[in-house]
Amino acid sequence: MPHPLITQEHIDSYQRDGVVLVKGLFRDHVEALRQGVETNMAEPGKYAAENLKAGEGGRFFDDYCNWQRIPEFEDVIRSSEAAEVAADLMRSRTVQLFHDHVLVKEPGTSKPTPWHQDSPYYFVEGEQTISFWSPLDPVREASLRCVAGSHQWAKPVLPTRWLSEQNFYPDADAYMPVPDPDAEGMTIMEWAMEPGDAVAFNYKTLHGARGNQTQSRRRAFSLRLLGDDARYVERPGRTSPPFPGHEMKPGEKLREDWFPVIFRR
């Protein structure tokens, strides 16, 4: 039987569309995650970024790979039901932690998060991958948007740098151009969400997020996890996150001392 927070329909939708909404996944951990985000913004990590150009209003902050130095993040990752739900959605026996990611759009931040797939930025591939995107504030307009079925596209979407808009890797031929899902009539999934709800999506699912032109903050905590078939792959350049000095070889499972298994059937 699936975890009580989800049904077989959730699992089927995740496999078919590459995205599904899980209500209340982090409901009991919202305050802890909010505190973790405040700590993260007050003490940014080495990968922290401000994603607005000069003259653009608001603030768009993001940072990742901080679970080992922010106790609230590690506690939520290990004690919440996210890993077991991930196992069900991915149809995986095990769940391995990849990394955490914080994204904050302050009020009046009109810039959207560009359309992208996560997979091309990462040094891992597999059918069993999952990201949870959980808002820590009520979301009505500043929502995450995912293109249904895009995890099954034959060619990955070109990864770009959010601020400079340059190609992430030197060879663009291996990728398809970034589409315009609204103009091209693609099926876009998005939901009004309460704090602690979570959108679950495959690393290969094309997604972006609306700007935040409301009078409220939009803080989001993302958790990236891996299933049984995930393996290390080499990319044509420095990945994001880079994890320097990992010493893994193509085809290997990610090393468990860096990427711990947090759930096992």
Side-chain angles (χ1 to χ4, degrees):
M1 292 288 291
H3 187 280
L5 283 173
I6 60 173
T7 64
Q8 186 60 45
E9 185 177 352
H10 284 86
I11 298 171
D12 294 343
S13 296
Y14 186 76
Q15 295 292 323
R16 179 188 65 244
D17 298 331
V19 58
V20 72
L21 176 67
V22 181
K23 298 288 289 182
L25 181 62
F26 295 103
R27 181 182 296 137
D28 297 334
H29 305 278
V30 170
E31 287 306 322
L33 289 172
R34 285 173 175 166
Q35 181 57 54
V37 169
E38 294 311 304
T39 299
N40 198 164
M41 295 185 77
E43 304 169 21
K46 59 185 177 181
Y47 300 126
E50 300 286 348
N51 296 289
L52 297 180
K53 297 177 182 176
E56 293 179 322
R59 184 186 184 190
F60 181 7
F61 169 90
D62 85 295
D63 196 5
Y64 49 56
C65 301
N66 290 295
W67 66 271
Q68 290 169 301
R69 70 182 189 92
I70 297 180
E72 291 88 351
F73 290 171
E74 180 169 12
D75 181 63
V76 171
I77 288 167
R78 294 191 182 276
S79 67
S80 75
E81 297 168 291
E84 186 174 352
V85 170
D88 287 339
L89 293 174
M90 292 190 293
R91 297 175 177 165
S92 179
R93 290 182 57 257
T94 63
V95 176
Q96 195 169 7
L97 172 60
F98 189 28
H99 66 279
D100 58 281
H101 192 177
V102 164
L103 302 107
V104 179
K105 287 185 180 176
E106 299 289 7
T109 307
S110 60
K111 182 174 182 174
T113 304
W115 289 105
H116 66 285
Q117 295 169 315
D118 287 340
S119 180
Y121 294 89
Y122 298 165
F123 58 35
V124 65
E125 287 277 7
E127 297 303 315
Q128 293 166 304
T129 64
I130 195 165
S131 287
F132 290 115
W133 184 94
S134 182
L136 306 179
D137 305 283
V139 167
R140 299 297 180 265
E141 295 90 8
S143 56
L144 181 74
R145 314 178 76 209
C146 296
V147 175
S150 53
H151 65 307
Q152 297 176 339
W153 288 351
K155 200 171 185 181
V157 171
L158 179 70
T160 61
R161 299 187 184 279
W162 287 3
L163 193 58
S164 68
E165 301 177 0
Q166 295 176 326
N167 294 349
F168 200 78
Y169 301 125
D171 178 17
D173 293 338
Y175 305 95
M176 63 180 283
V178 180
D180 184 339
D182 291 297
E184 296 175 39
M186 296 178 180
T187 301
I188 300 172
M189 313 284 281
E190 61 181 316
W191 297 269
M193 301 171 67
E194 297 302 324
D197 292 347
V199 176
F201 60 96
N202 188 287
Y203 290 179
K204 296 179 182 178
T205 298
L206 187 74
H207 61 285
R210 296 185 186 275
N212 181 19
Q213 302 192 63
T214 72
Q215 298 305 305
S216 303
R217 308 181 78 188
R218 198 228 61 192
R219 295 167 289 181
F221 177 77
S222 284
L223 180 58
R224 279 67 186 265
L225 305 173
L226 303 163
D228 297 335
D229 74 345
R231 296 291 185 274
Y232 173 73
V233 295
E234 288 188 338
R235 301 295 187 196
R238 182 177 184 264
T239 58
S240 174
F243 295 109
H246 59 73
E247 298 181 346
M248 292 181 291
K249 303 223 172 0
E252 292 181 346
K253 285 185 70 70
L254 300 198
R255 49 187 295 179
E256 292 183 15
D257 55 337
W258 288 29
F259 307 96
V261 173
I262 57 173
F263 180 80
R264 197 185 303 272
R265 290 265 178 235

